[in-house]
Amino acid sequence: MAEKYRHLYVIIEHEDGELLPVSLEMIGEARRLLDGFNSKYSSNEKVVAVILGHNIKDISKQLIEYGADAVIYADDPELKDIRNTIYTKVIGQIAQDTKSLGEIESEYASEIKRPRYMFFAADSVGRHLSSTVLVELESGLASDINQLVIEDIEMSHQQKTGGKKETYEKTLKMYRPDFSGFLWTTILCLDNRNPAFKRDYHPQSCSIIPGVFEPLKPDSLREGKIIEFTPTIDEQDLKVKVLSRQIIKSVVDFDTPRTIVSFGRGIKDDPEQNIKLVENLAKELNAEIGVTLPISKKPYTVSQALDSKYMIPDRVIGTSGHKTSAMLYVAAGVSGAMQHVWGMKDSGFVVAINPDEDAPIKNECDVFIKGRMEDVIPLLIEEIKKQIQIVEA
Amino acid sequence: MEKYDVAIIGGGSAGLAALKQLSNLGKQAILLEAGSKIGSKNLSGGILYSKKPKKGKVTNVEQVYENFLDDAPLERKITKYILHSTSKDKVYSMDLTAAHDYQANFGYSVLMNKLNSWFAKQAEESAEKLGGGIIPGVHVKSLSWNEQTGTIILQTDELDEFEVKAVIAADGVNSEVAEMVGARKKFTSEQLYQGVKVIVKLPEEIIDERFGISPDEGAAHLFAGDVTLNHIGGGFLYTNRDTLSVGAVYHFDSLLRNPIEPYTLIDTLLKNPMVSEFIKDKVPVKPDIDKDLPQEEKLRIRYGVAKLIKTWYEIREANFSPSGRERLIKSGKYKDAEDIQSTLTSVQETMSEKFGVTFGTDYLEDEYGAKLVPDGKRCRMKKPFFKNILFVGDAAGRGIFVGPRIEGLNIGIDDGVLAANAVARALDKNDFSNSLGEFYSKSVEQNPYTIDMKQIDKDYLKIFLDAAKDVPRDIIGSRYGTVLKMMSSSTFRGIAVKFANIIGYEKLLPMIESEETYVKVPTLLAEKLGKSISSSYSPTILSIADRIANLNYNDDSLAHIKVLNSSSEFMKKMVILCPAKCYSEEGGKVIIQHEGCVDCGTCSEETEWKHPRGEKGIHYQYG
Amino acid sequence: MGDLNIAVIIKLEPDFSEGNVSYNPDGTLNRAETKNTLGPHSGIAAHAAFFGKVMYDAKVSIVTMGPPIADLALKQAQQISDAEELHLYSDRLFAGADTLGTAEVLRVGIEKIQQKMDIVFSGHRASDGETGQTGPQTAWKLGFTFLGNVISYSVDLETRTIRAKRLISLQGSPNVIEEVEAPLPVFISIDPTYKSSYNTISQRLAFQKYKKEAIQRANTFKDYLKVFNAKELGVDETLVGLPGSPTIVYKVERVPKSTATRRAEVIDGTDPEQIRKVVAKMKEALEAMVIK
């Protein structure tokens, strides 16, 4: 049988000559998955890192150390800025480049049409880049993934299989949390085996949430191929220009404060009053205030001042927002959805205030104060006034 | 830079009238209002008059807006005007309806937010056709002149600067424009009144019955005597359609001499037995929930009661209002009036039987507000212009306070028309030199309203004295005795008034507007001649904290007021006199918390006082 | 009529605001009991289109793929953007589409608008699906330059170019504002923090004029509405709906309770004595770090 789809391509992100942590995390997960895959299917497919930019040959070597079998790099002054159209087309070219495939693995090179799997980072760049690349490669994409498993799947689907039972080998199960954080959706990218619209869909692709997977320890003795790719860039596409870049400080700083107080939908009985309670508590602790993702969607009506100060994406702690490793973290009226927990689990001492003992946050905290925030926070404030004098650092 | 013909600063009744008049004359104008919506920052007592002076002419609101009497959201036509003198539980009442009707076509009670919004809609339609319009959410922060052309360049917090040929400043008693250009000094306490008011909710037909008026009628009640707590001024209560405007207005310098919290002054009025009886209504009393019940049960009861009470209020308000009943019947939910009434009764029964709700007597207060009012007799700008900026209404210090005669809105509207006429003339002649200001100034000077601010009107005086004819002469102090004797005789009256006018308001005013007049004499009248009124209940008065918490604000992190001298006597008095309790004293220094500010300007004399930026600050619902 | 043609792709989504949203006891969304409304990010995209209307007198069209009730979203978007053309692409054949299948329908639909588009806007993501893919994928199918996370923009009608500011956030780096310039046509995915600003009197007056017009138009929105089924749209049936979707939702399951990473001490929040102990622990935690 023709080997049309082989290898796992990881689209690397870097900034100012440094690989972004998510790039190494993706390589790490790719390595683990493929080692399992190669063992299970007695195969020899490769983790191929793809990196575009200008003057990037040196950091390409690091990718091998962190687990890639091969690196395909395109180095060109016109690739210095990330322009979606150019990057999409070049990645598309690389994904179908027989010559590079030949250098990775001479056998099969001429048969291979597409990579089997493809990874992107789920950030400002990767989310959009993955979307356009997958249209270019005419295949499927699942976004914001935090778990991956490769398996043979037996199923019958009215559409995909025309109702018949089929086995899809080597399928990538892509898990993503839904907006509430309580449900996990498994997405599959599957060929149409329904005779009415027979079609192959490869690469099976996903964008991966930064900070979820662990990178491997770098091994300077690892060997791998570093392959240069000469991109073809359309003159028309060069008319898109980056005029300037300006670094801005986030309005909310979650890194400096030693304490963070956050609130979630538990404010709902009296949103205005409860937020003010949280404000008072934060004031006593000299803490910054964070919110859960649902709060940033403005689910309750409060005064304009509180709305624009807190119910904003910039305040979110979690996968869609900030990560913190504060020394003291107080979560008031927070249930403990997965995305939020990811944002605060590195904190030192965690106190949760929640009337519901079954709330998942209970597994992520050191002290679980059972009660409504309206009742608990005033008591806490009184006690804090007595015991703790916060001296500004 | 964008160029326009005219900018009107301030979207109150005066500014809007200027815009409408300019549009009527085919002239383009832009009106800038700092509030997020027209009407959101306006407050009035208030009654809007239309007058027909014996001598001279004024432009009335129904002449500026052709469809005013048919379409404008007016509350009630005031047909009864009564002055009550109070002393504890005794009240002596004098019917002053003749004074209210004096040279008047009508006087309607109004709520400013609704009314100004309506004015804006009319004015905007016309203005837009000429390439102008109303722009809310913009606060003028400074202005300058182009040396060569004499045009005015306006800078705002929100927009790029732009240029106009003339400005009509209608930005109220605390006019920043007046201060910025040095057209006049800030008004001093002797020249101002501080007014505080609350809106009381009362169903329409209960108002009809209680005040003895038909749906086409309205009542205005004024109060002097001990309710003033020895301040110069008085209280008022006006019937609106289904609310009451209840407030108090006092000489600001009287308040400075003897500081009492504005909310205390209004509470004193509310607690007066006659007023208590006026404002009372049936109210549901929430039951105590058994503490030992499980949490879910307690919540169920709490929500159930709250929902039923809300429904009860809604049905009841409609039940006692012809338009409310019509609306409910049209919606298809109710067959007829009886159906509504029986639903109301059954909701009441459910409340008491199922949840143990009882019904008591109390009053329902809604919106609290405060503002400063200029006393035209003392502070009207003699020449209300500065270069090519014309000042109108309160910004020019023009309000009429003569005894029980209180007029402001109609004067602002008339000023707006005069200013518009002057500017239109200037546009036609392309002459924006001082001749613009002089022309306007002259038209204002000859205006009947201005004349009333300068001289005592003997006919008005006669009406007032006729109303007081039953008052025994010996009651009133000796000072008044001679004067009254003279005034009662028509022969002497003419001489007396001429004489008074020669002496001038300035010398006479301290005698007329004195504790004697507003406090001592009325109190004495009530004590000796008054009827006893007992109130069946004691009104539950909201705390100032609750009153402020009930108001709508759009907070600005930037404070719009800066304290200049934090340990001055005046600022210490502000701790008491700020109607919103924004000032407190800590360690001998007065500090401000600006978030509760209602922009009244009470503290402006010794602070760096500005209006909040565009869209920020207080947002009145009734006004 | 100006010289700029703008389209907005929007979505009807569950209304998450209090009073309208309904949650199951296990915390998951109860879709059947939840009202639907114009998705918030779609709304922001509509505001961005309205900016084009006010500043450049653009012609605005709104398109959406959805069930018949999605016309509500079109009406709401028209109220915001003063749109003149509303498209609803509705057909059983479109059901079950993933973003690729959806992008195909939208692409065909947009190309059906008589004028050639200069700018197409989409929201950052849907509040339920949250993939953020449909925008860029529609852009690629249209062949338009894609600009994501745009927070403000201005158009030069003479040179037919657009300048846009983008907010880029990458893990572990501070946020960056990037200003780009591109020739029209472009596809813009609007950042949630996008703000229109109208800085002159004439812009404010135009804003008000068109806002009033928008409300009037939306009152008779059906006059502006065109509904297309698959045949009328002329789509390739193998590229839309389930047949045209590479991905499927295989399973939805509750996230397994994570093995507790910490062992929590449960205390009674109404007991002042226990609160005192907690605060003492909090104090310890803060001091421990200081010593370090």
Side-chain angles (χ1 to χ4, degrees), chain B residues 520-550:
Chain B
K520 297 211 175 101
V521 171
T523 310
L524 202 53
L525 272 177
E527 259 170 46
K528 295 272 169 79
L529 303 174
K531 273 196 302 220
S532 259
I533 304 218
S534 63
S535 179
S536 53
Y537 75 109
S538 193
T540 311
I541 311 277
L542 287 177
S543 69
I544 181 60
D546 284 332
R547 282 173 166 154
I548 299 296
N550 284 344

Short mmCIF file of all heavy atoms in Angstrom, two decimals, chain B residues 520-550:
data_model
loop_
_atom_site.label_atom_id
_atom_site.label_comp_id
_atom_site.label_asym_id
_atom_site.label_seq_id
_atom_site.Cartn_x
_atom_site.Cartn_y
_atom_site.Cartn_z
N LYS B 520 -39.63 83.20 61.29
CA LYS B 520 -40.33 83.66 62.50
C LYS B 520 -41.80 83.95 62.25
O LYS B 520 -42.67 83.46 62.98
CB LYS B 520 -39.63 84.90 63.06
CG LYS B 520 -38.22 84.63 63.51
CD LYS B 520 -37.82 85.53 64.68
CE LYS B 520 -36.43 85.15 65.18
NZ LYS B 520 -35.39 86.06 64.69
N VAL B 521 -42.07 84.74 61.24
CA VAL B 521 -43.46 85.11 60.98
C VAL B 521 -44.31 83.87 60.65
O VAL B 521 -45.38 83.68 61.26
CB VAL B 521 -43.56 86.17 59.87
CG1 VAL B 521 -44.99 86.39 59.45
CG2 VAL B 521 -42.94 87.48 60.37
N PRO B 522 -43.86 83.05 59.74
CA PRO B 522 -44.69 81.86 59.46
C PRO B 522 -44.89 80.99 60.69
O PRO B 522 -45.97 80.45 60.90
CB PRO B 522 -43.89 81.13 58.38
CG PRO B 522 -43.01 82.14 57.76
CD PRO B 522 -42.70 83.13 58.83
N THR B 523 -43.80 80.81 61.46
CA THR B 523 -43.94 79.96 62.64
C THR B 523 -44.99 80.53 63.59
O THR B 523 -45.84 79.80 64.10
CB THR B 523 -42.59 79.84 63.38
OG1 THR B 523 -41.58 79.49 62.43
CG2 THR B 523 -42.64 78.81 64.47
N LEU B 524 -44.91 81.81 63.77
CA LEU B 524 -45.88 82.49 64.63
C LEU B 524 -47.30 82.33 64.09
O LEU B 524 -48.24 82.02 64.82
CB LEU B 524 -45.51 83.98 64.68
CG LEU B 524 -46.01 84.78 65.88
CD1 LEU B 524 -45.61 84.07 67.17
CD2 LEU B 524 -45.44 86.18 65.84
N LEU B 525 -47.43 82.51 62.78
CA LEU B 525 -48.74 82.35 62.14
C LEU B 525 -49.32 80.98 62.41
O LEU B 525 -50.49 80.82 62.77
CB LEU B 525 -48.59 82.51 60.62
CG LEU B 525 -48.70 83.92 60.04
CD1 LEU B 525 -48.44 83.87 58.54
CD2 LEU B 525 -50.08 84.49 60.32
N ALA B 526 -48.43 79.98 62.24
CA ALA B 526 -48.91 78.61 62.42
C ALA B 526 -49.32 78.36 63.86
O ALA B 526 -50.36 77.76 64.14
CB ALA B 526 -47.82 77.63 61.98
N GLU B 527 -48.48 78.86 64.77
CA GLU B 527 -48.76 78.64 66.19
C GLU B 527 -50.10 79.24 66.59
O GLU B 527 -50.91 78.60 67.25
CB GLU B 527 -47.67 79.30 67.04
CG GLU B 527 -46.63 78.33 67.57
CD GLU B 527 -45.46 79.06 68.18
OE1 GLU B 527 -45.67 80.02 68.96
OE2 GLU B 527 -44.32 78.70 67.86
N LYS B 528 -50.30 80.48 66.15
CA LYS B 528 -51.50 81.19 66.59
C LYS B 528 -52.74 80.79 65.82
O LYS B 528 -53.81 80.64 66.38
CB LYS B 528 -51.28 82.71 66.45
CG LYS B 528 -50.21 83.29 67.33
CD LYS B 528 -50.79 83.66 68.69
CE LYS B 528 -49.69 83.98 69.69
NZ LYS B 528 -49.14 85.33 69.52
N LEU B 529 -52.59 80.67 64.51
CA LEU B 529 -53.77 80.47 63.67
C LEU B 529 -53.86 79.11 63.00
O LEU B 529 -54.84 78.81 62.32
CB LEU B 529 -53.79 81.53 62.55
CG LEU B 529 -53.77 82.97 63.00
CD1 LEU B 529 -53.66 83.89 61.78
CD2 LEU B 529 -55.03 83.29 63.79
N GLY B 530 -52.84 78.32 63.16
CA GLY B 530 -52.78 77.09 62.37
C GLY B 530 -53.68 75.99 62.88
O GLY B 530 -54.11 75.99 64.04
N LYS B 531 -53.96 75.03 61.98
CA LYS B 531 -54.73 73.83 62.34
C LYS B 531 -53.75 72.74 62.72
O LYS B 531 -52.66 72.66 62.15
CB LYS B 531 -55.53 73.36 61.11
CG LYS B 531 -56.87 74.02 60.95
CD LYS B 531 -57.74 73.24 59.96
CE LYS B 531 -57.05 73.13 58.61
NZ LYS B 531 -57.95 73.31 57.47
N SER B 532 -54.17 71.87 63.61
CA SER B 532 -53.33 70.73 63.97
C SER B 532 -53.47 69.63 62.95
O SER B 532 -54.60 69.27 62.58
CB SER B 532 -53.76 70.17 65.32
OG SER B 532 -52.87 70.62 66.29
N ILE B 533 -52.35 69.13 62.52
CA ILE B 533 -52.41 67.98 61.60
C ILE B 533 -51.64 66.84 62.26
O ILE B 533 -50.50 67.01 62.70
CB ILE B 533 -51.75 68.30 60.25
CG1 ILE B 533 -52.41 69.52 59.63
CG2 ILE B 533 -51.82 67.10 59.34
CD1 ILE B 533 -52.58 69.47 58.16
N SER B 534 -52.30 65.69 62.35
CA SER B 534 -51.55 64.57 62.92
C SER B 534 -51.28 63.57 61.80
O SER B 534 -52.08 63.38 60.89
CB SER B 534 -52.36 63.90 64.03
OG SER B 534 -53.54 63.38 63.48
N SER B 535 -50.13 62.95 61.90
CA SER B 535 -49.79 61.96 60.88
C SER B 535 -49.99 60.58 61.47
O SER B 535 -49.64 60.33 62.62
CB SER B 535 -48.35 62.15 60.43
OG SER B 535 -48.06 61.17 59.48
N SER B 536 -50.54 59.69 60.65
CA SER B 536 -50.88 58.35 61.13
C SER B 536 -49.69 57.43 61.23
O SER B 536 -49.78 56.32 61.69
CB SER B 536 -51.91 57.73 60.17
OG SER B 536 -51.38 57.80 58.84
N TYR B 537 -48.52 57.89 60.76
CA TYR B 537 -47.36 56.99 60.75
C TYR B 537 -46.10 57.82 60.82
O TYR B 537 -46.15 59.05 60.75
CB TYR B 537 -47.36 56.15 59.47
CG TYR B 537 -46.92 56.95 58.25
CD1 TYR B 537 -45.68 56.71 57.66
CD2 TYR B 537 -47.72 57.97 57.74
CE1 TYR B 537 -45.26 57.48 56.58
CE2 TYR B 537 -47.30 58.74 56.65
CZ TYR B 537 -46.07 58.48 56.08
OH TYR B 537 -45.65 59.24 55.02
N SER B 538 -45.00 57.14 60.94
CA SER B 538 -43.72 57.84 60.94
C SER B 538 -42.94 57.38 59.72
O SER B 538 -42.60 56.20 59.61
CB SER B 538 -42.98 57.49 62.23
OG SER B 538 -41.90 58.35 62.39
N PRO B 539 -42.66 58.29 58.77
CA PRO B 539 -42.00 57.82 57.55
C PRO B 539 -40.60 57.27 57.83
O PRO B 539 -39.87 57.81 58.66
CB PRO B 539 -41.91 59.08 56.68
CG PRO B 539 -42.15 60.23 57.57
CD PRO B 539 -42.86 59.75 58.77
N THR B 540 -40.27 56.16 57.14
CA THR B 540 -38.93 55.59 57.24
C THR B 540 -38.04 56.32 56.25
O THR B 540 -38.19 56.19 55.04
CB THR B 540 -38.95 54.09 56.87
OG1 THR B 540 -40.00 53.46 57.57
CG2 THR B 540 -37.61 53.45 57.20
N ILE B 541 -37.12 57.10 56.79
CA ILE B 541 -36.29 57.93 55.91
C ILE B 541 -35.02 57.17 55.53
O ILE B 541 -34.37 56.57 56.38
CB ILE B 541 -35.88 59.23 56.63
CG1 ILE B 541 -37.10 59.91 57.26
CG2 ILE B 541 -35.15 60.17 55.69
CD1 ILE B 541 -37.89 60.77 56.33
N LEU B 542 -34.65 57.22 54.28
CA LEU B 542 -33.41 56.58 53.83
C LEU B 542 -32.21 57.35 54.36
O LEU B 542 -32.25 58.57 54.46
CB LEU B 542 -33.34 56.58 52.30
CG LEU B 542 -34.26 55.64 51.54
CD1 LEU B 542 -34.08 55.85 50.04
CD2 LEU B 542 -33.95 54.20 51.89
N SER B 543 -31.14 56.60 54.62
CA SER B 543 -29.90 57.27 55.02
C SER B 543 -29.27 57.89 53.79
O SER B 543 -29.58 57.52 52.66
CB SER B 543 -28.93 56.26 55.62
OG SER B 543 -28.47 55.41 54.58
N ILE B 544 -28.37 58.84 54.02
CA ILE B 544 -27.71 59.49 52.87
C ILE B 544 -26.91 58.44 52.09
O ILE B 544 -26.84 58.48 50.85
CB ILE B 544 -26.82 60.67 53.31
CG1 ILE B 544 -26.18 61.34 52.08
CG2 ILE B 544 -25.75 60.26 54.28
CD1 ILE B 544 -27.15 61.89 51.08
N ALA B 545 -26.35 57.45 52.80
CA ALA B 545 -25.57 56.41 52.11
C ALA B 545 -26.46 55.65 51.14
O ALA B 545 -26.08 55.39 49.99
CB ALA B 545 -24.94 55.47 53.13
N ASP B 546 -27.67 55.30 51.60
CA ASP B 546 -28.59 54.59 50.71
C ASP B 546 -29.02 55.46 49.55
O ASP B 546 -29.14 55.00 48.42
CB ASP B 546 -29.84 54.15 51.48
CG ASP B 546 -29.55 52.94 52.36
OD1 ASP B 546 -28.65 52.15 52.00
OD2 ASP B 546 -30.21 52.81 53.40
N ARG B 547 -29.26 56.74 49.84
CA ARG B 547 -29.70 57.64 48.76
C ARG B 547 -28.65 57.73 47.68
O ARG B 547 -28.97 57.70 46.50
CB ARG B 547 -29.97 59.04 49.33
CG ARG B 547 -31.29 59.14 50.04
CD ARG B 547 -31.47 60.46 50.73
NE ARG B 547 -32.87 60.64 51.10
CZ ARG B 547 -33.27 61.41 52.10
NH1 ARG B 547 -32.40 62.08 52.82
NH2 ARG B 547 -34.56 61.51 52.36
N ILE B 548 -27.39 57.86 48.09
CA ILE B 548 -26.32 57.96 47.09
C ILE B 548 -26.14 56.63 46.38
O ILE B 548 -25.92 56.57 45.16
CB ILE B 548 -24.99 58.40 47.76
CG1 ILE B 548 -25.17 59.78 48.39
CG2 ILE B 548 -23.86 58.41 46.77
CD1 ILE B 548 -25.46 60.87 47.39
N ALA B 549 -26.25 55.53 47.14
CA ALA B 549 -26.08 54.20 46.52
C ALA B 549 -27.13 53.94 45.46
O ALA B 549 -26.89 53.21 44.49
CB ALA B 549 -26.14 53.12 47.59
N ASN B 550 -28.33 54.55 45.60
CA ASN B 550 -29.40 54.33 44.63
C ASN B 550 -29.21 55.10 43.34
O ASN B 550 -29.93 54.88 42.37
CB ASN B 550 -30.76 54.73 45.22
CG ASN B 550 -31.27 53.68 46.20
OD1 ASN B 550 -30.78 52.56 46.21
ND2 ASN B 550 -32.23 54.07 47.02
#
